[in-house]
Amino acid sequence: MPSVALITGSASGIGLAIARRLARDGATVALLDRNATALDAIAAELAGHAFPVDLTDAVAVEKTIASVVAQFGRVDVLVNSAGITGLTQTPTHLMPLDNVRQVFEVNFWGALHTTRAVLPTMLQQNYGRILHIASIAGKEGNPGMLGYSASKAAVIGMAKAQGKEYADTGITVNALAPAVIMTPLVEALPEAQVTYMTDRIPMRRCGTLEEVANAVAFIVSSENSFTTGFCYDLSGGRATY
């Protein structure tokens, strides 16, 4: 039976690349994003299904995923790819607290909302693959990006805790920590911020969307059955631990 894969942030960037790859591999893709217009176009392209939702709204997320389960009967894969950077090149004492809260709302709480909503179905079917897209910033911290770095560290911690919680249920929960990947989100960053991140990559280049999608395809596959609570590296050699 083809798998049902739910991908957040699938209207652009990494989430879209992942959706395209999983659809190409034969998955039925449920596309979640707040950009309803873009989502409809992508759903048409991929023969997928659009579910516009604000991931920071726990009640709305629960209702949306209930709709996914009602339509397809199961959810085999959840990839939490939605994320925002927040302010950059801003030291902590100048960082507005509301900006940090907003970044956490999307990057951490959004991923927690979707995970809580899919777990009951995955537990019933004794199978599931959950992947949180984190960042090298969550391991090392990027100066001037407090909200982003701290929220991605929280995402990594969440994957480690959840991986242990559900290790004997047929559900794996992992994280993926890319270094800078060339996406519209990265292209919108100040050049100095991108240079800071790229200069620390031994390969001396950004990663590509295809490289992310290729890694994700394996991590969420049924073949990857003995790794959980782990944070995969996708950093061109920047992270070696």
Side-chain angles (χ1 to χ4, degrees):
M1 176 169 45
S3 65
V4 176
L6 193 158
I7 306 106
T8 74
S10 46
S12 65
I14 289 175
L16 175 54
I18 293 168
R20 284 175 170 152
R21 172 57 192 266
L22 296 184
R24 193 175 79 217
D25 289 349
T28 298
V29 289
L31 309 166
L32 272 66
D33 201 288
R34 63 184 178 183
N35 188 337
T37 302
L39 216 55
D40 285 340
I42 293 157
E45 172 198 338
L46 302 180
H49 305 266
F51 294 89
V53 66
D54 178 357
L55 296 173
T56 67
D57 184 335
V59 174
V61 169
E62 188 171 343
K63 290 179 179 177
T64 298
I65 292 179
S67 297
V68 173
V69 175
Q71 185 167 342
F72 304 113
R74 61 189 296 117
V75 175
D76 301 289
V77 173
L78 167 64
V79 180
N80 281 311
S81 182
I84 60 174
T85 58
L87 287 175
T88 64
Q89 296 185 295
T90 306
T92 296
H93 72 287
L94 298 177
M95 182 70 72
L97 293 179
D98 284 348
N99 189 265
V100 177
R101 290 191 183 97
Q102 181 185 24
V103 174
F104 264 84
E105 284 289 337
V106 176
N107 295 0
F108 175 76
W109 284 102
L112 179 57
H113 293 159
T114 56
T115 303
R116 281 172 55 88
V118 301
L119 277 167
T121 296
M122 289 183 172
L123 287 167
Q124 284 183 342
Q125 63 199 29
N126 298 309
Y127 180 85
R129 297 287 183 266
I130 298 173
L131 177 63
H132 303 304
I133 303 299
S135 170
I136 188 66
K139 287 185 169 185
E140 298 187 356
N142 284 340
M145 298 179 70
L146 171 65
Y148 186 76
S149 299
S151 66
K152 291 301 188 178
V155 165
I156 293 171
M158 177 165 61
K160 291 178 178 292
Q162 291 168 345
K164 294 177 176 69
E165 288 175 359
Y166 300 98
D168 61 350
T169 67
I171 301 169
T172 66
V173 187
N174 293 293
L176 176 66
V180 60
I181 305 296
M182 191 47 64
T183 66
L185 184 144
V186 168
E187 290 171 352
L189 291 175
E191 183 178 352
Q193 190 73 57
V194 177
T195 299
Y196 169 86
M197 295 185 290
T198 306
D199 282 351
R200 281 150 183 77
I201 299 174
M203 287 188 180
R204 295 296 178 188
R205 66 173 178 86
C206 294
T208 68
L209 290 171
E210 290 74 17
E211 287 169 326
V212 177
N214 291 341
V216 170
F218 169 71
I219 295 169
V220 301
S221 70
S222 59
E223 287 82 3
N224 188 28
S225 54
F226 197 54
T227 302
T228 195
F230 183 65
C231 183
Y232 287 82
D233 170 36
L234 192 74
S235 67
R238 177 174 168 181
T240 56
Y241 57 92

